[in-house]
Amino acid sequence: MNIRTLRTRTLGTRLRGAAALALLPLLALTACGSGGTGGGTAAVGAEASPAPTDDPVAAVREVDSAAALLPADVRKAGKLRVGSSIGFPPGAYYPNGTDKAPAGQDIDLADAVAKVLGVGLERQDASFEAILPALGSGKYDFGTGNFGVTAERLKTIDFVTYINDGQGFAVKKGNTALKSKITDLTQLCGLTIGTGAGTTFEATLTAQKGVCAKAGKKPYDVKVYSENAATLTALQQGRIDVIMSTINGLRYQAAQPASQTTFLGEYHRLDVGFAFKKGSPLTKAFQAAVNELIRNGTYARILAKWGTSASAIETSRVNPPEQP
């Protein structure tokens, strides 16, 4: 084999490797806040998940009784500003690139609520970890991003619930270190866990880090990522052993053959809701709108469209306590 042939084959091998890694961001999940994994805004490509064509939001109409609950200045302005964490299906993602409209369960539900209330939405993409602090400053009227309702967040944020999601784990397909559902964090001792910045996952792992020492085991290590694509890439490259993220997101991801992940089941359920600054006058109107969507069947159609019917709630609540 001459030098030129060797170089050509080496280059081809490197390019194939780079191409494989380049596909990972298309399948990556961000996490959102249910415990969402951290919040980057990296897109999930159309190759990974074409958006379903059903449009249950199209038939939604304004409901006067719900719209009347909005503050007069909002009704006059006719629009609301929403900080939206766009990351992964089925929650919110870019099926056709970042220059096109986002899609997902959170997108459909926010749009449907706005139609019930008779207002438009001014959607602004934002990283997951930046949205909740920005609510207090008035930058956004509300936020979406699979934000889980926790006791800590309830101190500064109001929530209107719209789904029940939560925390789960996934590993690279073929992983032998973890073979069963994670029911106790001591199962993670000695391993490296990847998760997102500012999420309930990071908070849970940090708060419980002493469980391994109490069990006489080597502690687990936590690596936090600010962008979703980095988490999956780290898993595939062996730099982390397991991902902690949203139940619905990890389940969806494992169903995509190219992601090469295995979902290890639910760890902890959390109510998920639209997020508002504390004391927001918008919560009652949003609660009424979500309950109207549940009543008229639109809610069930949206969840069926995105494969999340198992996470349906019976009624929307304002600031429920964190689930035990």
Side-chain angles (χ1 to χ4, degrees), residues 45-46 48-57 88-96 101-105 107-108 252 256 301-308:
S49 177
T53 56
D54 183 30
D55 186 8
V57 181
F88 71 98
Y93 70 117
Y94 289 107
N96 301 304
Q105 167 194 275
I107 303 299
D108 281 352
Y252 175 91
Q256 310 307 306
R301 286 186 61 196
I302 291 173
L303 268 58
K305 172 182 176 179
W306 296 105
T308 57

Side-chain angles (χ1 to χ4, degrees), residues 195-217:
T195 194
T199 64
T200 63
F201 313 127
E202 182 186 11
T204 296
L205 293 169
T206 300
Q208 299 296 319
K209 203 162 188 179
V211 298
C212 293
K214 291 179 182 178
K217 298 181 178 182

Side-chain angles (χ1 to χ4, degrees), residues 116 136 172 180 218 270:
V116 169
K172 184 177 179 179
S180 61
K218 182 181 178 181
L270 283 172

Side-chain angles (χ1 to χ4, degrees), residues 12-241:
T13 300
R14 288 176 178 172
L15 289 174
R16 285 192 296 273
L21 289 176
L23 289 174
L24 293 178
L26 301 179
L27 297 159
L29 81 147
T30 55
C32 296
S34 152
T37 88
T41 55
V44 176
E47 298 88 342
S49 177
T53 56
D54 183 30
D55 186 8
V57 181
V60 177
R61 298 292 180 264
E62 181 176 350
V63 176
D64 291 342
S65 59
L69 297 173
L70 286 171
D73 60 333
V74 173
R75 294 201 304 272
K76 182 178 180 181
K79 68 177 181 179
L80 290 168
R81 298 161 300 163
V82 52
S84 187
S85 176
I86 310 296
F88 71 98
Y93 70 117
Y94 289 107
N96 301 304
T98 55
D99 59 334
K100 302 292 192 303
Q105 167 194 275
D106 288 358
I107 303 299
D108 281 352
L109 285 171
D111 287 348
V113 164
K115 292 185 74 172
V116 169
L117 298 177
V119 296
L121 290 184
E122 183 182 293
R123 182 171 280 112
Q124 300 178 34
D125 293 3
S127 64
F128 173 82
E129 63 269 30
I131 292 175
L132 296 186
L135 294 172
S137 70
K139 184 175 182 179
Y140 311 121
D141 295 307
F142 71 103
T144 63
N146 211 59
F147 290 108
V149 180
T150 67
E152 186 62 29
R153 286 176 176 168
L154 284 169
K155 295 176 182 177
T156 57
I157 299 294
D158 281 341
F159 289 95
V160 173
T161 61
Y162 62 83
I163 202 166
N164 181 256
D165 196 347
Q167 304 174 331
F169 294 92
V171 294
K172 184 177 179 179
K173 189 165 287 188
N175 178 290
T176 57
L178 290 167
K179 299 180 180 179
S180 61
K181 177 179 178 180
I182 304 299
T183 58
D184 190 308
L185 293 185
T186 57
Q187 293 171 255
L188 302 174
C189 295
L191 301 178
T192 301
I193 307 135
T195 194
T199 64
T200 63
F201 313 127
E202 182 186 11
T204 296
L205 293 169
T206 300
Q208 299 296 319
K209 203 162 188 179
V211 298
C212 293
K214 291 179 182 178
K217 298 181 178 182
K218 182 181 178 181
Y220 56 71
D221 186 31
V222 179
K223 292 192 180 298
V224 176
Y225 298 89
S226 60
E227 292 191 6
N228 47 299
T231 311
L232 183 58
T233 300
L235 182 73
Q236 301 293 19
Q237 292 182 339
R239 289 183 280 115
I240 59 175
D241 301 299

